[in-house]
Amino acid sequence: MSDQISQLSKRDLLKTIGMIGGSSAVFTALQGWNLAEASDRKAPPKMATDGKGKKIIILGAGLAGMVLALEMSKKGYDCQILEAQSYVGGRCQSARKGSVIEEINSEKQVCNFKDGQYFNYGPWRIPAQHHPTLHYCHSLGVALEPLLNVSPQAYYYSENIEGPLKGVPIRQHELEMDRMGNVHELLAKCADQGRLDDMVNQEDKEMLLEYLRSTGLIDKKELNYRATQIRGYEEFPSAGEKFGKYSEPYNLSDVFKITPGAHLENEDHPVTMFQPVGGMDQIPKAMAKALPRGTITLSAEVNSIIHSDDGVAITYKNLKNGKEKTIKGDYCISTIPFPVVSKITNNFSTDLVNAIKAPTGAPAFKYGIQLDRRFWEQDEMIYGGQSLTDIVGHNTMAYPSSDLHSNKPGVLLGCYIWGGQAARLSNLDLKGREEFVLSVGEKLHPGKFRQNYSGNAMSISWHKHKYQLGGWVLWTRRKRARQLPTVLKGESRVLFSGNGIASIQGGWMVGAIEAAWYTMEELDKRVAKG
């Protein structure tokens, strides 16, 4: 590597250190974009006022809507939830045998997964620091199990590069050790050759060298990164005279070219996360069960929101019989995604109308695919985790963390992508989506993916879902600063809640829950004023 040190640019060095430099640096960057934030709150706020029978009409039976009804009904409010769909949970859904997914101008999908298996096609992970989400799992008795977010044996795959690693599945552990080992060698040689003398004193330099040597990644004398047990074996040792053979590191310049996975693990995406046993939809189902009987009206599509100084009138269509009905209440809280609620007839001010039209729905695409044999476990030692690619239209393939070591089939998250490429994928018909995911799977697992495909798959383009129009609500920084305050203020007897007002972007469940808690406090202030 000595020749490569002199050729290494500052940009390459910083890039490499960023790849292996720890989750804190990545988390700091993400915080700057409002993409990753832990929650400080661990329980809902205390409301100072009593409902005394005041009627609150809540639009939407997603997590935010049901949390509002759960907490406010405890204070004596008469809460009525109107939900356009025939089920609760909003985007917090799991597809299992018999489930239906319908998109705008697309084919109807009916799930046919075998052996009671499921696919979380909305949120699929819960970090430990998302205390509000865990609060409701614990208080409502939703059993949780570990979700293995990172598996060292899963793959990175890059085809938009040049060199020997182009189009080759690379074990994540091997590549991460090569990144780390090469940086350790570089840093150790710089320190040993006096190139850090103007940055650290002699004692710190000696301690740094002692630490780098102790990791086992570099030779203690020559300071070279080399093949060791830490990186792993090409041939495993066994009894007798089979001593095994270490796997050989990849060339440094080739390692630099692999782009997927630079931010695989960070504060909001730790190695171990959590998931409800039996599917993410267990959370909204538990919430619905805990509400007073008759709180939720399903298949109720809201047509108009009319408010006055004295109350609100909500007109909705019963999608089962086609009849319209108007109900009145003291207050209305809408948790309907802004791209959807902005299309509903209302008498809001021009400023408020413009504010709720300001954000957009983020395109998001997910594809669940059932494979008959768990070859990724049995043949490749991949348990949970994700394989990441740079294939256009693809980002993540995630392996199930449940039923490990079983003979059951497995449902993989065959593709998760957002942004412009999600919009492109969503324009494919079901056969086109299927072929795309199978082709990616075959590149990651040659000769195994297609062979073990059960024929059962489900996909969702959230931006093409009539009652969501996006995987989450997306604000630009400028519009958020200028127009979110208008939304938060609401108007007269109408308030807005849900993921669109949360500080946490990206569709995390905790965003919807914290938004509900925020709105509770705002309503509490208004009721207190009379």
Side-chain angles (χ1 to χ4, degrees), residues 18-207:
M19 287 177 177
I20 58 94
S23 60
S24 60
V26 175
F27 183 50
T28 300
L30 289 174
Q31 280 185 312
W33 288 98
N34 261 344
L35 291 176
E37 298 177 14
S39 172
D40 292 328
R41 281 186 156 178
K42 296 186 178 181
K46 303 292 184 183
M47 297 184 71
T49 60
D50 290 318
K52 296 180 180 179
K54 285 186 173 63
K55 187 167 186 177
I56 312 297
I57 303 174
I58 300 169
L59 309 183
L63 298 190
M66 288 194 289
V67 166
L68 284 163
L70 273 171
E71 302 302 338
M72 294 172 63
S73 62
K74 296 175 185 177
K75 293 292 292 183
Y77 288 94
D78 176 12
C79 296
Q80 178 69 54
I81 300 177
L82 300 179
E83 169 57 52
Q85 299 177 108
S86 60
Y87 50 84
V88 301
R91 285 164 288 200
C92 189
Q93 299 299 327
S94 307
R96 49 178 56 83
K97 192 176 181 66
S99 298
V100 174
I101 293 179
E102 293 185 86
E103 299 173 5
I104 299 170
N105 299 324
S106 187
E107 305 160 70
K108 181 179 179 179
Q109 300 176 68
V110 180
C111 185
N112 197 34
F113 291 150
K114 297 180 285 188
D115 290 352
Q117 294 192 318
Y118 60 88
F119 163 47
N120 292 324
Y121 60 96
W124 54 297
R125 300 172 288 187
I126 306 173
Q129 68 268 34
H130 285 193
H131 304 298
T133 308
L134 294 174
H135 165 80
Y136 286 106
C137 291
H138 298 157
S139 63
L140 298 175
V142 178
L144 298 174
E145 62 185 358
L147 181 144
L148 307 176
N149 193 49
V150 178
S151 172
Q153 300 295 343
Y155 298 110
Y156 297 140
Y157 179 92
S158 293
E159 64 181 21
N160 297 304
I161 61 172
E162 296 301 328
L165 300 186
K166 177 184 175 71
V168 178
I170 306 298
R171 297 280 193 178
Q172 290 175 9
H173 172 75
E174 294 177 353
L175 194 69
E176 296 299 341
M177 289 302 101
D178 289 352
R179 286 170 172 166
M180 189 179 297
N182 279 305
V183 170
H184 281 201
E185 176 184 337
L186 175 64
L187 190 57
K189 288 183 175 179
C190 286
D192 189 55
Q193 296 169 15
R195 299 185 184 185
L196 301 181
D197 287 356
D198 59 341
M199 302 180 190
V200 295
N201 60 37
Q202 184 64 27
E203 182 181 0
D204 287 343
K205 185 175 76 172
E206 290 174 0
M207 292 175 63

Side-chain angles (χ1 to χ4, degrees), residues 61-359:
L63 298 190
M66 288 194 289
V67 166
L68 284 163
L70 273 171
E71 302 302 338
M72 294 172 63
S73 62
K74 296 175 185 177
K75 293 292 292 183
Y77 288 94
D78 176 12
C79 296
Q80 178 69 54
I81 300 177
L82 300 179
E83 169 57 52
Q85 299 177 108
S86 60
Y87 50 84
V88 301
R91 285 164 288 200
C92 189
Q93 299 299 327
S94 307
R96 49 178 56 83
K97 192 176 181 66
S99 298
V100 174
I101 293 179
E102 293 185 86
E103 299 173 5
I104 299 170
N105 299 324
S106 187
E107 305 160 70
K108 181 179 179 179
Q109 300 176 68
V110 180
C111 185
N112 197 34
F113 291 150
K114 297 180 285 188
D115 290 352
Q117 294 192 318
Y118 60 88
F119 163 47
N120 292 324
Y121 60 96
W124 54 297
R125 300 172 288 187
I126 306 173
Q129 68 268 34
H130 285 193
H131 304 298
T133 308
L134 294 174
H135 165 80
Y136 286 106
C137 291
H138 298 157
S139 63
L140 298 175
V142 178
L144 298 174
E145 62 185 358
L147 181 144
L148 307 176
N149 193 49
V150 178
S151 172
Q153 300 295 343
Y155 298 110
Y156 297 140
Y157 179 92
S158 293
E159 64 181 21
N160 297 304
I161 61 172
E162 296 301 328
L165 300 186
K166 177 184 175 71
V168 178
I170 306 298
R171 297 280 193 178
Q172 290 175 9
H173 172 75
E174 294 177 353
L175 194 69
E176 296 299 341
M177 289 302 101
D178 289 352
R179 286 170 172 166
M180 189 179 297
N182 279 305
V183 170
H184 281 201
E185 176 184 337
L186 175 64
L187 190 57
K189 288 183 175 179
C190 286
D192 189 55
Q193 296 169 15
R195 299 185 184 185
L196 301 181
D197 287 356
D198 59 341
M199 302 180 190
V200 295
N201 60 37
Q202 184 64 27
E203 182 181 0
D204 287 343
K205 185 175 76 172
E206 290 174 0
M207 292 175 63
L208 172 63
L209 282 167
E210 181 181 354
Y211 162 72
L212 293 171
R213 289 186 175 109
S214 72
T215 64
L217 287 171
I218 59 175
D219 178 84
K220 292 186 177 181
K221 184 177 181 181
E222 300 296 331
L223 305 180
N224 292 325
Y225 173 56
R226 77 279 192 236
T228 66
Q229 183 179 358
I230 295 174
R231 188 184 191 276
Y233 290 89
E234 181 180 328
E235 297 175 4
F236 286 94
S238 62
E241 296 183 358
K242 187 175 180 182
F243 301 110
K245 179 182 178 182
Y246 294 137
S247 58
E248 285 297 322
Y250 299 115
N251 185 281
L252 173 62
S253 60
D254 295 324
V255 166
F256 277 156
K257 296 175 183 176
I258 303 296
T259 54
H263 298 158
L264 177 61
E265 178 194 352
N266 58 56
E267 187 75 12
D268 244 14
H269 297 76
V271 172
T272 303
M273 302 172 79
F274 301 97
Q275 64 183 10
V277 176
M280 196 62 76
D281 62 351
Q282 300 306 305
I283 296 176
K285 287 179 178 178
M287 288 181 176
K289 186 177 179 180
L291 287 169
R293 185 182 296 273
T295 298
I296 303 173
T297 301
L298 298 175
S299 300
E301 184 181 78
V302 175
N303 291 333
S304 70
I305 305 169
I306 306 299
H307 67 88
S308 66
D309 292 338
D310 300 317
V312 292
I314 309 298
T315 300
Y316 68 91
K317 179 180 179 181
N318 185 322
L319 297 179
K320 293 179 179 178
N321 58 27
K323 295 182 179 179
E324 280 197 347
K325 183 178 181 180
T326 298
I327 60 173
K328 295 183 178 182
D330 296 291
Y331 293 91
C332 171
I333 302 175
S334 173
T335 70
I336 299 173
F338 294 149
V340 179
V341 76
S342 64
K343 301 177 185 300
I344 295 174
T345 300
N346 61 73
N347 65 338
F348 303 151
S349 68
T350 301
D351 286 347
L352 181 55
V353 169
N354 291 336
I356 61 177
K357 287 182 177 180

Side-chain angles (χ1 to χ4, degrees), residues 398-419:
Y399 307 90
S401 294
S402 54
D403 298 326
L404 301 180
H405 290 288
S406 74
N407 291 320
K408 292 182 179 180
V411 176
L412 278 65
L413 175 56
C415 178
Y416 176 30
I417 191 74
W418 55 93

